[in-house]
């Protein structure tokens, strides 16, 4: 029944119009949910009507006519006069000529009718223009009362197909539904546990409710179903992956290991979180079940070291590990910090290398060809080493015969498709297999993100991953004092540059971040929406902002937004900064230029760096003590937090200055206040979601087409998602193949179809 074409069950005109809107089947139509529900409401006497107010009246028709309009659109109108015995009023409806004459007949003199609309005044008489109406003649008194109480579903209608027509079509379809027609993805015990109505009832009640309780119960049930199917899809994906792929188990030979050597050489102690997460990962790596883990940790929580220890476990046992970063700058930085942490342990095969040692290779678009050939040969030869590069490495034909672990850093968008791609190409020849054996193993996967992901999003977008959280930062990191400066306070703005000069004079470094590169540019947040960031060199600045892009907000500033080129010039000429070198860094520069810019900044040749959000993610210059964000109101909370994380990395106190021109009380103002008041990235991420609570985090409905999530809102329905996740795990534990849950299996397949995957990717 659900797959029946609408043309079979509805009139041709209606069906054609629905098809034009992309709704082909009964099932498609059912999924078009009412936006809200109206009721007829309290009846008002005609004499009591107030112009401009919305009212419902019961009246009898005195006379009615329809006629064509003069050469106009709409083509015709119907006029009627009605009375309640005491007073009279007029009615007018507009539309096609046929429909209008039909209405005039329906509203023949003597007919009793319910009318609802906004009271207007025309030629001194009260009038309802385009009211909703319902003929009451054939209804008993009881039926009339029930009708008045009944909620009226309001659909997202169009001119061609207004809400009330959709309501009629829906009733036609719903009336024909039987128990066998609608699938029931929710197991009976889950429905019972959460007191949810069955699927058929839900579809009936959402479209044709008798009272408010019914549509509320229907919504609750359908919302739960969405959460349940989504979680089931993720759980199934995981089970399937684990049953069809095997990884190599990399064991840790106790104190005689590369990892232990590193631990012994570290100038500091691991934090409790690093130890705990490290052990979880170590156990997972020592198993043939492929690890799929998301490591979250605020900026500066020491994720790199966690990753390095994991990579050493693999490399120490003869495998290869890859660390992928979203940009070349970050990749180069990672290589540098890994080598720094490793010291002699990174100089395998060299005179000053340690006894047990490895090598860290960097492969990016700017690696010179001879060096590239050398690295490729070493890796293809199976050298147990660490390879650092951008995500582009995934697409390239780099041979890593013993690839045992892939670490993906700072990447929100390393979504489901990337994980699948990795499995497809990441096959490893099992080093423990017999020589000549062609058995392929999949690498373990560790995804790291510094943009804290609120729990519900983690459960939804990364629901097929285990998650681990580093919830403390290593001692020694100083809290970053944050100040808001309004553009209008010019003396304050000038004060920023005097402060910057002082920071530089005492050995500090200063970032100045702008939302644009050139004065003529669009905002960068718009530039950064590239593909999945694979190989792109502008990092995915948006992060959470992307997840919630549904909610646009445009303060339309009169002042042009700060641009890198403009501010680099202004600061070079700024008296307070006389003699201080000013550099620039943008995504438009070549990788070599970027590296040079970062080096000049770190070394102090240009201790002031005017940049775009390229510096947002992962950039690590310990001497940086001041972050100035111009037009800070143009950035999202998580982005601001990332930017602030670029300072306070050394032992000197650092500060962050957010310069903005937003109005007190505006959403941007609240965001900036939240930013200035809290340093906890997770709290900020939650606040970010709340401030945007109306946005459907998982993508807005596509025009005309059925959206993937109809009722579920990740911002609001955390509890539902969590409950569903728990129930799903129980169901799948009992019935991993879902043989006893065919409707659920079918719903999952539907959810995991191409379109759904595309939407998971978008998030
Ligand atoms: P993030 O999680 O932002 O990637 P990093 O891994 O870059 O953080 O670590 C930030 C800094 O803290 C680095 O300089 C790193 O060497 C240092 N660090 C990491 N772990 C510890 C620790 N346990 N004690 C002290 N410093 C640490
Ligand atoms: Mg990092």
């Amino acid at each position: 029944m659900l797959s029946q074409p609408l043309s079979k069950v509805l009139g041709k005109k209606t069906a054609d119009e629905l098809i034009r809107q992309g709704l082909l089947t009964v099932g498609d139509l059912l999924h078009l949910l009412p936006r809200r529900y109206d009721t007829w409401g309290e009846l008002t006497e005609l004499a009591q009507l107030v112009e401009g107010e919305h009212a419902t009246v019961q009246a009898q028709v005195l006379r009615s006519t329809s006629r064509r309009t003069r050469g106009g659109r709409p083509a015709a109108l119907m006029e009627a006069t009605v009375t309640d015995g005491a007073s009279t009023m007029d009615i007018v409806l507009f539309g096609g000529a046929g429909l209008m004459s039909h209405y005039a007949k329906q509203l023949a003199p003597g007919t009793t009718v319910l009318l609802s609309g906004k009271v207007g005044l025309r030629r001194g008489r009260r009038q309802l223009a385009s009211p909703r109406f319902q003929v009451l003649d054939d209804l008993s008194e009881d039926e009339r009362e029930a009708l008045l109480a009944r909620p009226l579903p309001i659909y997202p209608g169009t001119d061609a197909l207004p809400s009330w027509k959709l309501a009629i079509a829906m009733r036609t379809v719903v009336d024909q539904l039987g128990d066998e027609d609608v699938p029931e993805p929710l197991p009976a015990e889950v429905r019972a546990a959460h007191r949810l109505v069955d699927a058929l009832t839900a579809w009936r009640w959402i479209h044709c409710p008798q009272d408010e309780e019914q549509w509320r119960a229907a919504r609750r049930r359908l919302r739960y179903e969405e959460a349940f199917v989504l979680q089931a899809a993720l759980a199934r994906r995981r089970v399937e992956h684990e049953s069809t792929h095997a990884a190599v188990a990399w064991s840790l030979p106790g104190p005689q290991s590369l990892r232990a050597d590193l631990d012994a050489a570290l100038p500091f102690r691991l934090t409790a979180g690093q130890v705990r997460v490290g052990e979880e990962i170590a156990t997972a790596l020592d198993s043939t079940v492929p690890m799929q883990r998301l490591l979250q940790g605020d900026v500066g929580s020491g994720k790199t070291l966690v990753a390095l220890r994991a990579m050493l476990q693999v490399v120490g046992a003869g495998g290869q590990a890859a660390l992928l970063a979203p940009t070349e700058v970050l990749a180069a930085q990672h290589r540098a910090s890994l080598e720094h942490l490793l010291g002699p342990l990174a100089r395998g095969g060299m005179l000053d290398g340690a006894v047990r040692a490895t090598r860290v290779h960097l492969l990016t678009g700017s690696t010179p060809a001879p060096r590239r050939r050398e690295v490729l040969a070493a890796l293809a030869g199976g050298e147990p080493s660490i390879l650092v590069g951008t995500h582009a490495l995934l697409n390239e034909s780099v041979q890593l015969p013993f690839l045992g672990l892939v670490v993906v850093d700072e990447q929100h968008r390393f979504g489901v498709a990337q994980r699948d791609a990795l499995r497809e190409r990441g096959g490893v020849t099992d080093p423990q297999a017999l020589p000549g054996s062609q058995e392929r193993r999949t690498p373990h996967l560790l995804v790291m993100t510094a943009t804290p992901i609120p729990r519900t999003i983690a459960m939804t977008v990364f629901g097929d991953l285990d998650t681990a959280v580093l919830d403390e930062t290593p001692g020694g990191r100083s809290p970053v004092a944050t100040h808001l400066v309004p553009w209008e306070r010019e003396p304050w703005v000038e004060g920023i540059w005097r402060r910057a000069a002082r920071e530089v004079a005492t050995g500090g470094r200063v970032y100045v971040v702008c939302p644009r590169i050139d004065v003529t540019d669009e905002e960068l947040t718009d530039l950064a929406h590239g593909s999945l960031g694979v190989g792109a060199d502008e990092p995915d600045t948006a992060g959470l902002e992307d997840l919630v892009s549904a909610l646009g907000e445009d303060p339309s500033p009169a002042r042009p937004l700060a641009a890198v080129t403009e501010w680099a010039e202004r600061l070079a000429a700024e008296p307070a900064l006389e003699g201080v070198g000013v550099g620039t860094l943008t995504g438009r520069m070549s990788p070599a230029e970027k590296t040079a810019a970062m080096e000049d900044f770190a070394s102090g040749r240009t201790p002031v760096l005017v940049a775009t959000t390229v510096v947002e993610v992962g950039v690590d210059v310990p001497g940086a003590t001041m972050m100035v964000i111009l037009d800070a109101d143009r950035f999202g909370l998580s982005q601001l937090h990332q930017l602030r994380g670029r300072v306070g990395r050394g032992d000197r106190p650092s500060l962050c200055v957010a310069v903005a021109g937003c109005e007190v009380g505006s959403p941007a103002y609240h965001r900036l206040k939240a930013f200035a008041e809290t340093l906890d990235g997770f709290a900020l991420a939650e606040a970010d979601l709340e401030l945007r609570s109306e946005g459907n985090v998982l993508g807005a409905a596509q025009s005309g087409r059925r959206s993937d999530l109809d009722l579920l809102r990740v911002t609001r329905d955390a509890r539902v998602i969590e409950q569903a996740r728990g129930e799903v795990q129980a169901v799948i534990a009992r019935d991993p193949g879902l043989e006893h849950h065919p409707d659920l299996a079918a719903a999952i397949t539907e959810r995991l179809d191409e379109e759904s995957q595309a939407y998971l990717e978008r998030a």
Side-chain angles (χ1 to χ4, degrees), residues 268-271 274 298-305 474 620 649:
F268 47 70
R269 292 165 61 102
L270 298 175
T271 65
Q274 284 171 325
D298 212 339
V299 279
S301 58
K303 293 184 294 296
T304 312
L305 182 55
D620 189 11
R649 302 174 82 79

Side-chain angles (χ1 to χ4, degrees), residues 484 668-678:
L484 298 186
Y669 173 81
H670 285 294
R671 211 161 53 216
L672 288 178
K673 253 183 69 100
F675 171 61
E677 280 163 12
T678 137

Side-chain angles (χ1 to χ4, degrees), residues 18 21 23 29 31-36 153-167 170 207 219 701-706 710:
L18 287 168
Q21 294 181 22
L23 305 176
L29 183 62
H31 277 90
L32 183 69
L33 301 185
R35 274 218 201 105
R36 59 189 173 84
I154 305 298
Y155 294 94
T158 57
D159 282 348
L161 209 56
S163 170
W164 63 267
K165 268 199 191 175
L166 281 166
M170 217 58 94
H207 290 300
R219 272 198 179 175
Q702 298 136 291
S703 57
R705 300 226 48 184
R706 184 180 140 181
D710 293 320

Side-chain angles (χ1 to χ4, degrees), residues 162-208:
S163 170
W164 63 267
K165 268 199 191 175
L166 281 166
I168 293 172
M170 217 58 94
R171 182 167 281 280
T172 312
V173 165
V174 168
D175 281 348
Q176 295 179 44
L177 289 180
D179 241 337
E180 328 68 55
D181 294 324
V182 282
E184 175 54 273
L186 290 183
E189 69 272 18
V190 171
R191 277 192 341 255
H194 296 276
R195 277 179 283 132
L196 301 168
V197 296
D198 61 273
L200 179 61
T201 306
W203 290 118
R204 277 197 183 131
W205 285 4
I206 198 122
H207 290 300
C208 310

Side-chain angles (χ1 to χ4, degrees), residues 530-543:
S531 58
L532 293 151
V534 178
D537 219 55
E538 195 77 38
D540 293 318
T541 50

